[in-house]
Amino acid sequence: MSTSLTVRPYEPVDEPHVLDLLNLTLGQGRAFERSLAFFRWKHLENPFGPSLMLLANGQELVGLRAFLRWQFRARDTIVPAVRAVDTATHPRYQRMGVFSRLTRASLERAAAEGVQFVFNTPNQYSLPGYLKLGWQFVGRTTIMVRPLRPLRMAAAALTRRPAHTDDGAPAGGTARDGGGDGAGHAVEALLAHGPGLEALLARDDAHAADGIRTLRSAAYLRWRYATAPSLEYRAAWAGDGTIQAAVIYRRTRRRGLAELSIAEVLFGEPRWGRAALRRALDEAPADYAVAHCAWATPHRQLLVSLGFMPVPRVGPNFTVRPLGDRPLDCDPASARNWRLSLGDLEVF
């Protein structure tokens, strides 16, 4: 049956049918509501450009393959990339090659547009399929954790709640119990620092100048952290009249515990980074905090100095699929070349 399918680009008229297919096959996200607003934010309002989306049609919409546009800086080069995200195959057409056909067509189109590589964080079930299609396993990212309420964490561990229980859901509750929405500042307040924030981004970027990192700007931060429907990020910062460091975070509930996810830590001097991170930990009480950073960066040294510890075999898988013949200064298939934040890894 798959040979009778037509593969074509997404068009605006497809929007309601695509959303129905995503909800049918993927269900609601634990960290977000899979709504029309979320779809438009994710795939159409991205400052890196609208997603590359291909559809498979038979007598009905059968499948979707979406590549989210992304841009990285690899040393002094801006690198266009895409992130393999939403994949949906109608239940009646599964195991008929729809996924493979859409993926191959998407790779061809991305390469023709000059995209340098595809990256994503597949789970244990989808990873083998990606490897068969030419993806390379870079490694499993290391999450760093700081216990804030050890007794509550120990009690939760003894209850052995299922791993899937309310993972990534908004924390809710009050600031006192680690939930609620009154802690910290809105991300828009951070963005109001204007040129000072752009200067901070440049200083922070210099810490990771030897690797591959997301091309961040005020426009990117606004899209990623201020306008995402159903995802509430907050911000804390420190400085001496001008902003010298900032932290963007989100509170969620995971396995019955209040989790503080540190999405971004931006600083020039470590002392200001520590001040901003301490402020975030104080403003948003939680049972524990999590973060991610590359090992060979000042960000890791800062996190370790504040009690964060690496937890092996907890973070998501990370894979890449190089495209084109032009070699990069930093090989994306090598784990030592990546400089990612937790905000680069979560949600999508």
Side-chain angles (χ1 to χ4, degrees):
M1 184 180 298
S2 62
T3 57
S4 64
L5 298 179
T6 299
V7 174
R8 62 175 179 83
Y10 167 89
E11 297 178 0
V13 68
D14 297 312
E15 187 177 73
H17 308 294
V18 166
L19 195 61
D20 287 344
L21 180 63
L22 287 171
N23 281 312
L24 174 66
T25 58
L26 302 180
Q28 289 295 324
R30 294 191 181 103
F32 55 85
E33 179 183 355
R34 201 180 299 281
S35 62
L36 179 59
F38 190 86
F39 176 84
R40 290 176 176 175
W41 167 80
K42 181 175 179 178
H43 292 297
L44 305 178
E45 299 168 7
N46 180 354
F48 297 137
S51 295
L52 191 166
M53 291 185 281
L54 293 184
L55 307 181
N57 275 95
Q59 295 180 342
E60 59 186 329
L61 179 60
V62 168
L64 164 72
R65 170 83 273 190
F67 283 174
L68 186 74
R69 305 278 182 185
W70 212 264
Q71 289 186 359
F72 291 101
R73 188 185 295 277
R75 299 204 173 118
D76 295 325
T77 303
I78 296 176
V79 180
V82 291
R83 183 175 194 152
V85 286
D86 296 333
T87 301
T89 302
H90 196 285
R92 288 195 295 271
Y93 291 80
Q94 292 179 355
R95 299 184 182 278
M96 295 183 180
V98 176
F99 168 78
S100 298
R101 184 169 173 180
L102 280 172
T103 299
R104 290 190 178 98
S106 298
L107 291 172
E108 291 175 3
R109 181 164 297 226
E113 293 181 6
V115 172
Q116 293 296 294
F117 61 84
V118 188
F119 72 104
N120 63 330
T121 53
N123 60 34
Q124 59 180 324
Y125 304 107
S126 59
L127 177 60
Y130 280 109
L131 296 179
K132 289 180 181 179
L133 289 169
W135 263 251
Q136 299 178 37
F137 180 68
V138 178
R140 192 161 187 178
T141 55
T142 299
I143 298 299
M144 301 189 72
V145 177
R146 176 182 172 180
L148 300 173
R149 294 171 175 168
L151 293 180
R152 288 181 60 134
M153 294 181 67
L158 292 174
T159 63
R160 297 185 179 180
R161 295 186 61 162
H164 65 271
T165 303
D166 58 17
D167 280 277
T174 65
R176 178 168 295 181
D177 67 11
D181 47 9
H185 299 275
V187 176
E188 283 290 356
L190 171 65
L191 297 169
H193 286 271
L197 177 59
E198 293 286 2
L200 171 60
L201 287 172
R203 292 194 298 272
D204 184 79
D205 193 58
H207 291 315
D210 60 339
I212 305 171
R213 65 275 191 204
T214 293
L215 184 64
R216 291 170 302 180
S217 64
Y220 166 77
L221 295 180
R222 174 171 285 107
W223 169 74
R224 176 65 183 86
Y225 299 115
T227 65
S230 72
L231 292 171
E232 185 182 8
Y233 288 91
R234 309 293 286 181
W237 57 85
D240 55 357
T242 59
I243 187 169
Q244 299 293 333
V247 173
I248 299 175
Y249 58 87
R250 179 170 69 95
R251 288 188 298 174
T252 63
R253 188 162 293 277
R254 195 179 300 274
R255 301 190 186 189
L257 293 172
E259 175 185 283
L260 184 64
S261 298
I262 307 297
E264 301 282 352
V265 180
L266 310 171
F267 65 94
E269 296 181 31
R271 66 187 180 99
W272 289 116
R274 281 191 290 272
L277 189 51
R278 286 195 184 100
R279 185 163 296 172
L281 295 173
D282 290 341
E283 290 176 346
D287 296 316
Y288 66 97
V290 296
H292 172 77
C293 63
W295 284 78
T297 61
H299 295 77
R300 180 178 182 273
Q301 298 171 17
L302 185 148
L303 290 170
V304 169
S305 73
L306 288 178
F308 283 79
M309 301 173 291
V311 181
R313 299 184 298 278
V314 170
N317 299 314
F318 192 77
T319 60
V320 300
R321 172 62 155 82
L323 300 174
D325 300 324
R326 189 175 68 188
L328 297 175
D329 290 339
C330 296
D331 180 9
S334 174
R336 61 186 177 85
N337 288 331
W338 284 95
R339 305 291 184 266
L340 299 175
S341 69
L342 188 59
D344 293 323
L345 298 170
E346 65 166 6
V347 172
F348 296 108

